[in-house]
Amino acid sequence: MKISRRKFFKIAGVAGGGSILGKVKSALGVEQFTGWPDRVGVLTDLTRCVGCRSCEAACNEINKLPQPKIPFEDQSVLEKERRADADYYTYVNRYPDPKNKGQWIFRKIQCNHCDEPACASACLVKALRKTPEGPVIWNEKVCIGCRYCMTACPFYVPAYEYSNAFSPNVVKCTMCYDARTSQGKVPACVEACPMEVMTFGKRRDLIQAARKRIMDHPDRYVDHIYGENEVGGTCWLYISGVPFEKLGFPTDVGTKPYPEFTRGFLSMVPAVLVVWPALLGGFYLFTKNRERMADEEEEIIPEEKEE
Amino acid sequence: MTTRNTVVAILCLSICLLVSSYAVESKQTSSSGEVPETYTLGRLAKIYQPVEFSHEAHTYITEGCETCHHYSQEGETPSCNECHNSSSAKDLGIADLKEAYHGNCMGCHKKMEMGPTGCNECHAKQTSKAPPVIQTTTKKSSKAGPETLTLNRLEMKYEPVVFSHEMHTLLTEDCAACHHHSTAGETPSCAECHGAPFNPENLNLPGLKGAYHLQCMGCHKEMGAPDGCTECHAKKDSKKSESKEK
């Protein structure tokens, strides 16, 4: 059976395009993921926080972190706005209360445990993982310290062990996954809080509880649950008495899960890597073969003429 | 015949004496006479303070006597050590008394998510002066509840908080200012509603610790009363607590 050059390109084009389109379709299918159904979370009611730093002390103890230079009882630490560090997985910052002059509003910060975490999608070696239970955890044995997760995180959460010269890791809050939450226990910071600022439970129940709290006290809260839709939803939720941008929350993160921004492109990579070399190799062989045959014909034809 | 009788009598008596000398479970029987009110389990009195087991409270909580007095004929409630004792454990392979107590009590406490499950929650260490419970003092003349409440659940870290209930009844106009969300005239204790936190049935109901702090500090802030941590929870002498830990 003879195939013309035109027909070959037609078939090759359809086959190649089809395989790429097929890949795109399956990637779009993943976008329907709305989070693990029974994932747990923590609802943080910022109207209750008094900035006592009990949560920081509890976190320090359970994660066996180094003792801080300034003790946890010392409130002077709050004078400077802090950011995530390898020495503490959670910290409290304070912001001036726009309603009452001279008063402060405290904000407890830690990993928000996104439903579709940007850090995990950016990780080259799968050191970061979203568990079906809710927490986003990291595996220090796998981490190569590339710090891609630090750039990917919309909340600037993962911290780097700059002080560790030989095997530095990226570290962050794990919602006490190994020690507590995987055994059905409450995270250490949640348990330690004297004001019960944080409520632990199933994320869907927490959202209902938060809605009810806002509905029951419309004068006390702004009508927004931070983390319900931010970056596609997070397991750590916040309710507040003042708008979230006043408390340093990033409010420009959107509601689209971060991995989605790269998913379309990244899902094409294997298709391109597999299909294109095969296709181009095929073209190359085809044209080379043709050229060879043409050359051979040319070589034969003069001989025939001579005879 | 008579000698035989006296021998039997002496034997019985000596057994009774032996048993009574070994008896460590003192009963306090309620007026009805049949069901004991409390049991004081004091076998480990050298190490721990005796465990005050409220039999009465547990009869209310359980569905029937057979929940605890299991594997017995209907209507019969043999005491635990009738079956669970050292000899039976050897002969029949059933749990001895210690194992039976812990298995039954802790098993149920865990299952029901009620009641203490930690060692020191039942067995207060002999060295600690007071068991970690809320103690009340009542004036005989007072009709408006207890005079003071001593909150010492965190006594390992802080000095106990002595809450003057009397002073607060004078300050507030109404019992319902604190004893909220209850039927008029009723003043349930805080712990009656505020138990363990994060109840999935009602996530917005604070636990006892949260309820105390939110209620007390909320009002203290409004009224200008002390609201710092150490103003209520005086720190224990650090040197003392360190030496204790050692």
Side-chain angles (χ1 to χ4, degrees), chain B residues 151-178:
Chain B
L151 317 172
N152 57 356
R153 245 169 231 243
L154 297 174
E155 69 166 0
M156 300 300 276
K157 285 183 183 171
Y158 306 102
E159 296 287 342
V161 178
V162 180
F163 168 76
S164 173
H165 185 266
E166 198 184 23
M167 187 190 81
H168 284 83
T169 51
L170 295 173
L171 283 172
T172 53
E173 288 164 7
D174 192 358
C175 299
C178 296

mmCIF file of all heavy atoms in Angstrom, chain B residues 151-178:
data_model
loop_
_atom_site.group_PDB
_atom_site.id
_atom_site.type_symbol
_atom_site.label_atom_id
_atom_site.label_comp_id
_atom_site.label_asym_id
_atom_site.label_seq_id
_atom_site.Cartn_x
_atom_site.Cartn_y
_atom_site.Cartn_z
ATOM 1 N N LEU B 151 -10.482 27.547 91.742
ATOM 2 C CA LEU B 151 -10.247 26.884 90.453
ATOM 3 C C LEU B 151 -8.774 26.507 90.384
ATOM 4 O O LEU B 151 -7.912 27.375 90.285
ATOM 5 C CB LEU B 151 -10.615 27.825 89.309
ATOM 6 C CG LEU B 151 -11.920 28.608 89.485
ATOM 7 C CD1 LEU B 151 -12.089 29.638 88.404
ATOM 8 C CD2 LEU B 151 -13.108 27.665 89.492
ATOM 9 N N ASN B 152 -8.515 25.227 90.454
ATOM 10 C CA ASN B 152 -7.105 24.825 90.508
ATOM 11 C C ASN B 152 -6.779 23.692 89.545
ATOM 12 O O ASN B 152 -5.977 22.824 89.819
ATOM 13 C CB ASN B 152 -6.694 24.454 91.930
ATOM 14 C CG ASN B 152 -7.572 23.362 92.488
ATOM 15 O OD1 ASN B 152 -8.525 22.947 91.838
ATOM 16 N ND2 ASN B 152 -7.255 22.886 93.670
ATOM 17 N N ARG B 153 -7.421 23.722 88.389
ATOM 18 C CA ARG B 153 -7.126 22.705 87.396
ATOM 19 C C ARG B 153 -5.703 22.843 86.851
ATOM 20 O O ARG B 153 -5.121 21.888 86.391
ATOM 21 C CB ARG B 153 -8.103 22.846 86.226
ATOM 22 C CG ARG B 153 -8.997 21.643 86.094
ATOM 23 C CD ARG B 153 -10.087 21.932 85.127
ATOM 24 N NE ARG B 153 -11.362 21.590 85.728
ATOM 25 C CZ ARG B 153 -12.158 20.650 85.235
ATOM 26 N NH1 ARG B 153 -11.845 20.014 84.158
ATOM 27 N NH2 ARG B 153 -13.293 20.380 85.822
ATOM 28 N N LEU B 154 -5.182 24.051 86.858
ATOM 29 C CA LEU B 154 -3.840 24.284 86.314
ATOM 30 C C LEU B 154 -2.830 24.480 87.432
ATOM 31 O O LEU B 154 -1.890 25.252 87.305
ATOM 32 C CB LEU B 154 -3.856 25.514 85.403
ATOM 33 C CG LEU B 154 -4.735 25.426 84.171
ATOM 34 C CD1 LEU B 154 -4.758 26.760 83.455
ATOM 35 C CD2 LEU B 154 -4.247 24.344 83.229
ATOM 36 N N GLU B 155 -3.052 23.776 88.540
ATOM 37 C CA GLU B 155 -2.220 24.070 89.701
ATOM 38 C C GLU B 155 -0.770 23.626 89.538
ATOM 39 O O GLU B 155 0.078 24.010 90.319
ATOM 40 C CB GLU B 155 -2.809 23.459 90.961
ATOM 41 C CG GLU B 155 -2.748 21.963 90.982
ATOM 42 C CD GLU B 155 -3.017 21.427 92.371
ATOM 43 O OE1 GLU B 155 -3.250 22.233 93.271
ATOM 44 O OE2 GLU B 155 -2.963 20.209 92.528
ATOM 45 N N MET B 156 -0.506 22.819 88.502
ATOM 46 C CA MET B 156 0.886 22.487 88.246
ATOM 47 C C MET B 156 1.654 23.717 87.762
ATOM 48 O O MET B 156 2.849 23.828 87.965
ATOM 49 C CB MET B 156 0.990 21.394 87.175
ATOM 50 C CG MET B 156 0.305 20.098 87.532
ATOM 51 S SD MET B 156 0.943 19.337 89.014
ATOM 52 C CE MET B 156 2.349 18.468 88.318
ATOM 53 N N LYS B 157 0.934 24.627 87.098
ATOM 54 C CA LYS B 157 1.612 25.789 86.517
ATOM 55 C C LYS B 157 1.367 27.059 87.321
ATOM 56 O O LYS B 157 2.239 27.906 87.434
ATOM 57 C CB LYS B 157 1.119 26.022 85.085
ATOM 58 C CG LYS B 157 1.673 25.047 84.086
ATOM 59 C CD LYS B 157 1.178 25.404 82.701
ATOM 60 C CE LYS B 157 1.658 24.408 81.662
ATOM 61 N NZ LYS B 157 1.003 24.638 80.373
ATOM 62 N N TYR B 158 0.134 27.210 87.803
ATOM 63 C CA TYR B 158 -0.232 28.465 88.457
ATOM 64 C C TYR B 158 -0.802 28.205 89.847
ATOM 65 O O TYR B 158 -1.266 27.115 90.152
ATOM 66 C CB TYR B 158 -1.286 29.207 87.637
ATOM 67 C CG TYR B 158 -0.915 29.440 86.210
ATOM 68 C CD1 TYR B 158 -1.444 28.650 85.193
ATOM 69 C CD2 TYR B 158 -0.021 30.451 85.868
ATOM 70 C CE1 TYR B 158 -1.089 28.859 83.872
ATOM 71 C CE2 TYR B 158 0.330 30.668 84.557
ATOM 72 C CZ TYR B 158 -0.204 29.867 83.553
ATOM 73 O OH TYR B 158 0.140 30.079 82.256
ATOM 74 N N GLU B 159 -0.799 29.255 90.632
ATOM 75 C CA GLU B 159 -1.497 29.190 91.909
ATOM 76 C C GLU B 159 -2.998 29.108 91.619
ATOM 77 O O GLU B 159 -3.457 29.638 90.609
ATOM 78 C CB GLU B 159 -1.206 30.457 92.736
ATOM 79 C CG GLU B 159 0.253 30.632 93.134
ATOM 80 C CD GLU B 159 0.696 29.682 94.220
ATOM 81 O OE1 GLU B 159 -0.189 29.116 94.911
ATOM 82 O OE2 GLU B 159 1.912 29.466 94.362
ATOM 83 N N PRO B 160 -3.758 28.448 92.470
ATOM 84 C CA PRO B 160 -5.199 28.362 92.187
ATOM 85 C C PRO B 160 -5.866 29.748 92.206
ATOM 86 O O PRO B 160 -5.429 30.647 92.903
ATOM 87 C CB PRO B 160 -5.728 27.472 93.312
ATOM 88 C CG PRO B 160 -4.671 27.442 94.339
ATOM 89 C CD PRO B 160 -3.370 27.683 93.646
ATOM 90 N N VAL B 161 -6.904 29.861 91.390
ATOM 91 C CA VAL B 161 -7.658 31.109 91.346
ATOM 92 C C VAL B 161 -8.788 31.007 92.368
ATOM 93 O O VAL B 161 -9.592 30.080 92.297
ATOM 94 C CB VAL B 161 -8.271 31.333 89.945
ATOM 95 C CG1 VAL B 161 -9.092 32.607 89.911
ATOM 96 C CG2 VAL B 161 -7.184 31.347 88.894
ATOM 97 N N VAL B 162 -8.809 31.933 93.301
ATOM 98 C CA VAL B 162 -9.917 31.942 94.253
ATOM 99 C C VAL B 162 -10.907 33.006 93.779
ATOM 100 O O VAL B 162 -10.633 34.193 93.819
ATOM 101 C CB VAL B 162 -9.432 32.225 95.681
ATOM 102 C CG1 VAL B 162 -10.605 32.229 96.643
ATOM 103 C CG2 VAL B 162 -8.415 31.183 96.106
ATOM 104 N N PHE B 163 -12.018 32.506 93.267
ATOM 105 C CA PHE B 163 -13.025 33.399 92.687
ATOM 106 C C PHE B 163 -14.064 33.706 93.753
ATOM 107 O O PHE B 163 -14.695 32.796 94.292
ATOM 108 C CB PHE B 163 -13.662 32.692 91.490
ATOM 109 C CG PHE B 163 -14.903 33.366 90.971
ATOM 110 C CD1 PHE B 163 -14.826 34.521 90.215
ATOM 111 C CD2 PHE B 163 -16.161 32.834 91.233
ATOM 112 C CE1 PHE B 163 -15.964 35.126 89.732
ATOM 113 C CE2 PHE B 163 -17.312 33.437 90.757
ATOM 114 C CZ PHE B 163 -17.207 34.587 90.004
ATOM 115 N N SER B 164 -14.209 34.956 94.069
ATOM 116 C CA SER B 164 -15.199 35.322 95.068
ATOM 117 C C SER B 164 -16.574 35.406 94.415
ATOM 118 O O SER B 164 -16.929 36.406 93.786
ATOM 119 C CB SER B 164 -14.848 36.658 95.707
ATOM 120 O OG SER B 164 -15.917 37.048 96.536
ATOM 121 N N HIS B 165 -17.316 34.334 94.571
ATOM 122 C CA HIS B 165 -18.660 34.299 93.997
ATOM 123 C C HIS B 165 -19.535 35.326 94.695
ATOM 124 O O HIS B 165 -20.370 35.988 94.070
ATOM 125 C CB HIS B 165 -19.235 32.888 94.165
ATOM 126 C CG HIS B 165 -20.558 32.681 93.508
ATOM 127 N ND1 HIS B 165 -21.744 32.835 94.171
ATOM 128 C CD2 HIS B 165 -20.867 32.338 92.236
ATOM 129 C CE1 HIS B 165 -22.740 32.578 93.327
ATOM 130 N NE2 HIS B 165 -22.230 32.272 92.149
ATOM 131 N N GLU B 166 -19.289 35.483 95.983
ATOM 132 C CA GLU B 166 -20.104 36.395 96.785
ATOM 133 C C GLU B 166 -19.969 37.833 96.285
ATOM 134 O O GLU B 166 -20.957 38.526 96.074
ATOM 135 C CB GLU B 166 -19.659 36.297 98.243
ATOM 136 C CG GLU B 166 -20.680 36.842 99.221
ATOM 137 C CD GLU B 166 -20.154 36.812 100.649
ATOM 138 O OE1 GLU B 166 -18.911 36.787 100.830
ATOM 139 O OE2 GLU B 166 -20.978 36.812 101.568
ATOM 140 N N MET B 167 -18.717 38.228 96.053
ATOM 141 C CA MET B 167 -18.490 39.601 95.595
ATOM 142 C C MET B 167 -19.154 39.827 94.240
ATOM 143 O O MET B 167 -19.742 40.870 93.989
ATOM 144 C CB MET B 167 -16.999 39.858 95.494
ATOM 145 C CG MET B 167 -16.637 41.286 95.180
ATOM 146 S SD MET B 167 -14.896 41.430 94.788
ATOM 147 C CE MET B 167 -14.853 40.920 93.093
ATOM 148 N N HIS B 168 -19.058 38.831 93.387
ATOM 149 C CA HIS B 168 -19.622 38.995 92.049
ATOM 150 C C HIS B 168 -21.151 39.021 92.069
ATOM 151 O O HIS B 168 -21.754 39.666 91.209
ATOM 152 C CB HIS B 168 -19.087 37.907 91.110
ATOM 153 C CG HIS B 168 -17.676 38.155 90.672
ATOM 154 N ND1 HIS B 168 -16.599 37.796 91.441
ATOM 155 C CD2 HIS B 168 -17.166 38.762 89.562
ATOM 156 C CE1 HIS B 168 -15.480 38.151 90.818
ATOM 157 N NE2 HIS B 168 -15.790 38.737 89.678
ATOM 158 N N THR B 169 -21.750 38.330 93.031
ATOM 159 C CA THR B 169 -23.220 38.407 93.117
ATOM 160 C C THR B 169 -23.641 39.813 93.547
ATOM 161 O O THR B 169 -24.700 40.295 93.152
ATOM 162 C CB THR B 169 -23.791 37.388 94.121
ATOM 163 O OG1 THR B 169 -23.085 37.519 95.355
ATOM 164 C CG2 THR B 169 -23.674 35.973 93.608
ATOM 165 N N LEU B 170 -22.772 40.451 94.347
ATOM 166 C CA LEU B 170 -23.082 41.822 94.763
ATOM 167 C C LEU B 170 -22.893 42.798 93.605
ATOM 168 O O LEU B 170 -23.624 43.778 93.475
ATOM 169 C CB LEU B 170 -22.201 42.236 95.949
ATOM 170 C CG LEU B 170 -22.416 41.450 97.249
ATOM 171 C CD1 LEU B 170 -21.371 41.833 98.271
ATOM 172 C CD2 LEU B 170 -23.814 41.681 97.811
ATOM 173 N N LEU B 171 -21.890 42.535 92.765
ATOM 174 C CA LEU B 171 -21.575 43.442 91.654
ATOM 175 C C LEU B 171 -22.613 43.357 90.541
ATOM 176 O O LEU B 171 -23.014 44.360 89.973
ATOM 177 C CB LEU B 171 -20.199 43.117 91.076
ATOM 178 C CG LEU B 171 -18.982 43.596 91.869
ATOM 179 C CD1 LEU B 171 -17.714 43.020 91.240
ATOM 180 C CD2 LEU B 171 -18.903 45.115 91.886
ATOM 181 N N THR B 172 -23.011 42.122 90.217
ATOM 182 C CA THR B 172 -23.970 41.979 89.115
ATOM 183 C C THR B 172 -25.392 42.134 89.647
ATOM 184 O O THR B 172 -25.665 41.846 90.811
ATOM 185 C CB THR B 172 -23.831 40.590 88.454
ATOM 186 O OG1 THR B 172 -23.929 39.603 89.483
ATOM 187 C CG2 THR B 172 -22.519 40.444 87.736
ATOM 188 N N GLU B 173 -26.233 42.579 88.771
ATOM 189 C CA GLU B 173 -27.610 42.807 89.194
ATOM 190 C C GLU B 173 -28.406 41.502 89.192
ATOM 191 O O GLU B 173 -29.387 41.354 89.895
ATOM 192 C CB GLU B 173 -28.278 43.800 88.242
ATOM 193 C CG GLU B 173 -27.756 45.214 88.436
ATOM 194 C CD GLU B 173 -28.096 46.118 87.264
ATOM 195 O OE1 GLU B 173 -28.838 45.686 86.366
ATOM 196 O OE2 GLU B 173 -27.596 47.257 87.260
ATOM 197 N N ASP B 174 -27.946 40.600 88.353
ATOM 198 C CA ASP B 174 -28.774 39.442 88.078
ATOM 199 C C ASP B 174 -27.877 38.208 87.991
ATOM 200 O O ASP B 174 -26.785 38.285 87.446
ATOM 201 C CB ASP B 174 -29.460 39.676 86.709
ATOM 202 C CG ASP B 174 -30.563 38.678 86.456
ATOM 203 O OD1 ASP B 174 -30.756 37.794 87.315
ATOM 204 O OD2 ASP B 174 -31.211 38.786 85.402
ATOM 205 N N CYS B 175 -28.339 37.082 88.533
ATOM 206 C CA CYS B 175 -27.571 35.836 88.413
ATOM 207 C C CYS B 175 -27.351 35.495 86.937
ATOM 208 O O CYS B 175 -26.326 34.943 86.549
ATOM 209 C CB CYS B 175 -28.300 34.675 89.079
ATOM 210 S SG CYS B 175 -28.556 34.911 90.838
ATOM 211 N N ALA B 176 -28.368 35.853 86.102
ATOM 212 C CA ALA B 176 -28.328 35.496 84.683
ATOM 213 C C ALA B 176 -27.225 36.235 83.933
ATOM 214 O O ALA B 176 -26.916 35.881 82.792
ATOM 215 C CB ALA B 176 -29.665 35.774 84.032
ATOM 216 N N ALA B 177 -26.632 37.264 84.574
ATOM 217 C CA ALA B 177 -25.512 37.942 83.919
ATOM 218 C C ALA B 177 -24.390 36.940 83.627
ATOM 219 O O ALA B 177 -23.702 37.052 82.612
ATOM 220 C CB ALA B 177 -24.988 39.073 84.804
ATOM 221 N N CYS B 178 -24.206 36.013 84.543
ATOM 222 C CA CYS B 178 -23.196 34.964 84.287
ATOM 223 C C CYS B 178 -23.873 33.634 83.948
ATOM 224 O O CYS B 178 -23.494 32.972 82.992
ATOM 225 C CB CYS B 178 -22.303 34.778 85.505
ATOM 226 S SG CYS B 178 -21.344 36.238 85.889
#
